[in-house]
Amino acid sequence: MKVLLFICGEGLGHTSRCLALGKEFLTARHEVYFGAYGYSKKLVEKTGYQVYEIPPEIKLVGESGIFDIKKSIKETLKNTSPSRFRKLLRLIEELKPDIVLSDGYYTGILAAQTKKTLVYFIGHQFNMVEFFQRQDFLMTVAGKLIKSFYNYIFRSVDGIIVPDFPPPYSVNRKNFNFKKSINNTIFFSGPLIRYKYSEVESKTLQRPNVLSTVGAFGYRATIFRNVLEAAKLDQSIYYTFISGPGIDPNQFSKIPENVEFTGFTENPFPYYKGSDLVITAGGHGTILESLSFGLPVLSFPDKKHIEQENNATVLEEEGYGKKMSYLAEPETILACIRGILEKEEYCKKTRRLRELAEELDGSATVRTFLEERLKEGLVK
């Protein structure tokens, strides 16, 4: 196969799972190309894969831990123009892929359909209309238009790949809002993780170790400060902070001896394997990586970011971790950390998910699925 992967650059989860697929395709001697922008493009380049610059699409904006849907729409509209669409058409004409996989990148789907190329959508958020609830009149109208657009996308693609555990274990199950007519096009692959648990050599860390990993948004520094203060309250628990590319660790002073700052790393998996608990935002990618390595999660979802709040709610309901608030004081954070570390039930449940992730082998499952679909198309 010749595969072209389009990547949404908002949040590194899209990039990480596309890198997992790229690795699998190349190992199976398929031809792989990436289309990406911003930090996603840089990360793909650092990994050593061939990547083409594509126009930015969705732009997420927030402040003080609160997701701003209005500003996000305005910034996204700035990225829309016919010339940018023509750039995608030229790229598909040049590469002539057999299959286009679009991870949260909608314009790439339209371009592939224009060129009559087999196209699959990779995604974990299918209920975007929730973002527009309890808004003013214009935002409600915008929500209806956007819902019509993404429903068209879901109906028209050749298939939808959900990079999550199959039901009833799906972390993103509260973010489903499918019509019955497209249910037979939905394929749960299992988590798309760059490295299996069995492939990773553990980082040597003092235990118990809490891994704090926060994405690229600078406003999440609030979590860092509160977790840092929580670390000072109990020196018997150790912490490793992996900051996103928008966080400068040097801004934090008076670091206690039980805390280590690593800065940003492209490969957090040895840290996962050496840790006992993960503190993160509510992003689907990091949560799935953590659970696939058998780790309970304290999730701090961005306020008013419905998808993240839903993910965190499922974590708490299923006993995989706790849903946290940006307003949580250090003493509360420490109490939650202790509660999870001391209660074996959390670890039992997340260890089962680790075993399930290994059994599902998401990347290999997607590769096999697409190989079969392409063969069926050729036979027809």
Side-chain angles (χ1 to χ4, degrees):
M1 296 186 297
K2 183 186 285 189
V3 182
L4 173 59
L5 285 150
F6 284 128
I7 306 173
C8 170
E10 291 299 308
L12 296 181
H14 301 279
T15 311
S16 183
R17 59 199 188 201
C18 285
L19 289 173
L21 287 174
K23 176 184 175 184
E24 177 66 30
F25 292 142
L26 288 170
T27 301
R29 300 183 180 277
H30 294 302
E31 198 171 337
V32 182
Y33 300 94
F34 293 85
Y37 59 91
Y39 192 81
S40 290
K41 180 174 181 289
K42 292 179 182 178
L43 186 54
V44 175
E45 288 171 335
K46 285 182 180 179
T47 310
Y49 296 144
Q50 187 167 357
V51 57
Y52 293 83
E53 178 88 35
I54 60 175
E57 190 180 61
I58 296 172
K59 179 68 175 176
L60 303 183
V61 179
E63 187 175 346
S64 301
I66 301 175
F67 175 64
D68 192 321
I69 183 66
K70 289 185 179 180
K71 289 183 179 179
S72 296
I73 289 176
K74 289 178 181 178
E75 291 299 317
T76 299
L77 290 175
K78 290 179 183 178
N79 293 327
T80 304
S81 73
S83 62
R84 295 186 175 194
F85 185 69
R86 287 194 294 270
K87 183 176 182 179
L88 294 174
L89 292 176
R90 288 194 296 270
L91 179 59
I92 294 173
E93 287 174 356
E94 177 187 343
L95 297 177
K96 295 180 173 58
D98 298 306
I99 296 176
V100 169
L101 298 179
S102 189
D103 194 321
Y105 190 77
Y106 294 89
T107 319
I109 292 172
L110 297 176
Q113 290 173 333
T114 301
K115 292 299 177 182
K116 304 196 182 306
T117 303
L118 201 64
V119 58
Y120 286 82
F121 178 78
I122 302 173
H124 57 270
Q125 163 61 357
F126 304 99
N127 198 22
M128 283 80 83
V129 72
E130 287 190 351
F131 286 100
F132 299 89
Q133 293 176 351
R134 296 183 295 277
Q135 300 283 343
D136 59 33
F137 174 75
L138 289 177
M139 290 301 296
T140 301
V141 172
K144 290 180 179 179
L145 292 173
I146 290 172
K147 181 180 179 180
S148 297
F149 171 72
Y150 69 68
N151 279 337
Y152 164 76
I153 291 291
F154 298 155
R155 288 195 310 270
S156 64
V157 293
D158 293 285
I160 297 170
I161 297 170
V162 182
D164 202 334
F165 297 102
Y169 299 101
S170 309
V171 171
N172 70 330
R173 66 168 184 253
K174 290 184 180 293
N175 296 316
F176 287 150
N177 189 18
F178 289 121
K179 293 186 176 181
K180 291 182 180 179
S181 59
I182 63 171
N183 279 349
N184 62 347
T185 69
I186 300 168
F187 174 69
F188 284 88
S189 65
L192 299 179
I193 309 298
R194 280 183 284 163
Y195 299 97
K196 299 177 185 177
Y197 181 84
S198 57
E199 295 174 339
V200 175
E201 184 175 345
S202 175
K203 195 82 173 175
T204 303
L205 302 170
Q206 292 181 287
R207 312 288 286 268
N209 190 81
V210 176
L211 180 64
S212 177
T213 169
V214 176
F217 299 96
Y219 59 73
R220 290 181 184 154
T222 303
I223 302 173
F224 265 55
R225 295 189 182 95
N226 287 340
V227 175
L228 185 59
E229 290 304 310
K232 296 175 183 179
L233 300 175
D234 186 346
Q235 298 284 312
S236 68
I237 301 175
Y238 298 88
Y239 296 75
T240 304
F241 286 76
I242 297 178
S243 62
I247 300 287
D248 179 9
N250 294 323
Q251 69 184 280
F252 302 99
S253 59
K254 298 180 181 179
I255 307 298
E257 291 184 0
N258 61 328
V259 171
E260 177 187 1
F261 277 90
T262 68
F264 180 68
T265 175
E266 287 88 4
N267 182 10
F269 298 97
Y271 291 95
Y272 286 139
K273 196 164 186 178
S275 298
D276 302 283
L277 168 68
V278 171
I279 294 177
T280 186
H284 184 262
T286 304
I287 288 175
L288 265 290
E289 289 177 352
S290 303
L291 297 178
S292 296
F293 271 65
L295 296 172
V297 178
L298 287 187
S299 174
F300 287 81
D302 294 343
K303 189 175 181 182
K304 296 185 180 180
H305 195 305
I306 306 300
E307 182 237 322
Q308 291 192 8
E309 292 181 346
N310 285 342
N311 294 337
T313 297
V314 170
L315 283 176
E316 181 144 332
E317 288 179 351
E318 295 300 321
Y320 304 149
K322 286 188 176 295
K323 179 180 180 179
M324 305 295 291
S325 166
Y326 271 72
L327 301 177
E329 297 292 336
E331 292 80 6
T332 303
I333 294 172
L334 177 60
C336 291
I337 291 170
R338 284 173 173 166
I340 288 180
L341 293 177
E342 293 168 2
K343 193 171 182 180
E344 177 63 19
E345 190 63 25
Y346 285 103
C347 293
K348 281 184 179 179
K349 289 185 175 182
T350 53
R351 275 199 300 267
R352 175 60 191 132
L353 291 183
R354 185 189 79 196
E355 294 165 359
L356 182 57
E358 291 271 319
E359 293 167 9
L360 292 168
D361 196 358
S363 298
T365 300
V366 170
R367 172 182 57 77
T368 303
F369 171 76
L370 293 176
E371 288 170 344
E372 292 173 354
R373 295 291 85 75
L374 189 58
K375 283 181 182 177
E376 289 173 3
L378 292 174
V379 170
K380 290 177 183 178

